[in-house]
Amino acid sequence: MDTIIEQITGDEIHNRNIMEEASRILQNGGLVAFPTETVYGLGGNALDSNASTKIYAAKGRPSDNPLIVHIADIKSLEDIVEDVPESARKLAGAFWPGPLTMIMKKKACVPKETTGGLDTVAVRMPSHPVAARLIMTSGIYIAAPSANISGRPSPTRARHVIEDLNGRIDMIIADDTVDIGLESTIVDLSEGVPTILRPGCITLKMLEDVLGKVEIDKAAAAGASAADNIVARAPGMKYRHYAPKAQLTIVEGEPEHVINTVNRLVSEKLAEGFKVGVMTTDENISSYLNGEIKSLGTRSDEETIARNLFDVLRYFDGYGADYIYSEGFEDSGVGQAVMNRLIKAAGHRIIRV
Ligand code: TXA
Ligand code: MG
């Protein structure tokens, strides 16, 4: 399949033409990758079971892993959700449009193909202008998982989407203004106490400030290990995810101990003839001696670390790293979302020194 790749520019008419072309593709059951404020999405008509089936095929994604439905105004909730809960209205008021996904009981018009066979549907109203305009111009509720091949790091730059999906979908809208770099926070409002199934940049504290008590699903908490035998409530969280090709290990502890340990491990692997990457921060970068060393940004700026994480993981894929050693991060605020992704990428391989 030939994939149309269009770059958003400063030119209004050019951009409007792109939106109209993308809308036609969506209306005809095709697939379009587009930027959102979190990561790129791979969009299709959420109410068309064939379009959802195509999304799974293009990503190589297991079909029991449900998609997020993207809407452009709060009224649309009534079309796809059964009995919109009060908690959803409060959270929408506080955080939509933005990087928050809510899970609620679905209406019959949402096909099971879109929800991976579940009776609930995940809904998000993105704030990115291209995403919002695409939903409005097409008049379609857009089902969109992250626009990566299943199991690869989520795409935060247009070139990541092109790497993974060129030739597999109808169109890619390139616009490198994906700002957050980690997927949305997912909160389950379908039963009992609101529960975070996937941490993101809308933090536990921010949700609690609006709703009062909010829980975090054990499988989503950074410390949860595969060995704990916890069944994730978000089906997607059970798959090995965000995986770089290299074996990634997180090294945690006092900075001095971390640096010494990483330097030793890197030397050992280099001596055995492997290619080795180090993921660090501006504060520590000058202390590492060998290997391919990449900073995620300043430790005090969690937003920048979040924005760079997937790009650096993909960089190491391109570099051909066999092993990557990464520093750990604070398990609170946005750091909690960073650690959640990092631990998954590492397959829970953590050394505490
Ligand atoms: O920021 C984001 O959320 C991005 C952009 C494109 O909006 N999308 C995204 O989609 O990250 P995806 O498909 O990569 O992740 C969706 C996650 C999966 O872990 C899936 O299992 C979970 O949401 N999910 C979707 N519907 C669900 C449901 N009804 N119940 C429980 N989990 C659900
Ligand atoms: Mg994904």
Side-chain angles (χ1 to χ4, degrees), residues 224-252:
S225 99
D228 292 344
N229 236 341
I230 297 163
V231 178
R233 269 167 63 181
M237 304 304 276
K238 74 177 180 240
Y239 296 104
R240 178 150 187 252
H241 227 186
Y242 320 112
K245 291 175 189 155
Q247 186 187 87
L248 169 66
T249 304
I250 304 166
V251 184
E252 282 187 333

Side-chain angles (χ1 to χ4, degrees), residues 36 38-41 59 61 65-68 70 101 103 118 120-122 124 144-146 182-184 186 197-198 233-237:
T36 85
T38 56
V39 300
Y40 276 86
K59 276 182 66 87
R61 174 173 175 137
N65 187 1
L67 310 175
I68 295 174
H70 296 68
T101 296
I103 292 175
L118 299 175
T120 51
V121 59
R124 171 163 118 76
S146 49
L182 296 181
E183 309 85 343
S184 61
I186 301 180
L197 305 189
R198 179 174 74 183
R233 269 167 63 181
M237 304 304 276

Side-chain angles (χ1 to χ4, degrees), residues 180-255:
I180 295 169
L182 296 181
E183 309 85 343
S184 61
T185 304
I186 301 180
V187 61
D188 187 351
L189 305 175
S190 67
E191 57 181 6
V193 180
T195 303
I196 294 178
L197 305 189
R198 179 174 74 183
C201 84
I202 307 287
T203 62
L204 175 65
K205 162 112 190 21
M206 290 161 79
L207 295 176
E208 282 177 340
D209 286 347
V210 176
L211 292 186
K213 191 168 167 49
V214 175
E215 285 176 350
I216 174 150
D217 186 40
K218 284 199 188 66
S225 99
D228 292 344
N229 236 341
I230 297 163
V231 178
R233 269 167 63 181
M237 304 304 276
K238 74 177 180 240
Y239 296 104
R240 178 150 187 252
H241 227 186
Y242 320 112
K245 291 175 189 155
Q247 186 187 87
L248 169 66
T249 304
I250 304 166
V251 184
E252 282 187 333
E254 289 299 316

Side-chain angles (χ1 to χ4, degrees), residues 16-81:
R16 197 174 324 137
N17 289 342
I18 293 178
M19 287 302 158
E20 282 169 7
E21 188 176 20
S23 296
R24 272 195 302 276
I25 291 172
L26 291 173
Q27 288 157 358
N28 292 328
L31 304 187
V32 177
F34 61 97
T36 85
E37 70 277 22
T38 56
V39 300
Y40 276 86
L42 171 56
N45 183 350
L47 304 188
D48 171 358
S49 58
N50 288 329
S52 291
T53 304
K54 280 193 206 168
I55 292 177
Y56 290 104
K59 276 182 66 87
R61 174 173 175 137
S63 61
D64 66 344
N65 187 1
L67 310 175
I68 295 174
V69 180
H70 296 68
I71 61 175
D73 61 61
I74 294 189
K75 283 197 310 292
S76 305
L77 268 184
E78 315 286 344
D79 292 344
I80 53 179
V81 170

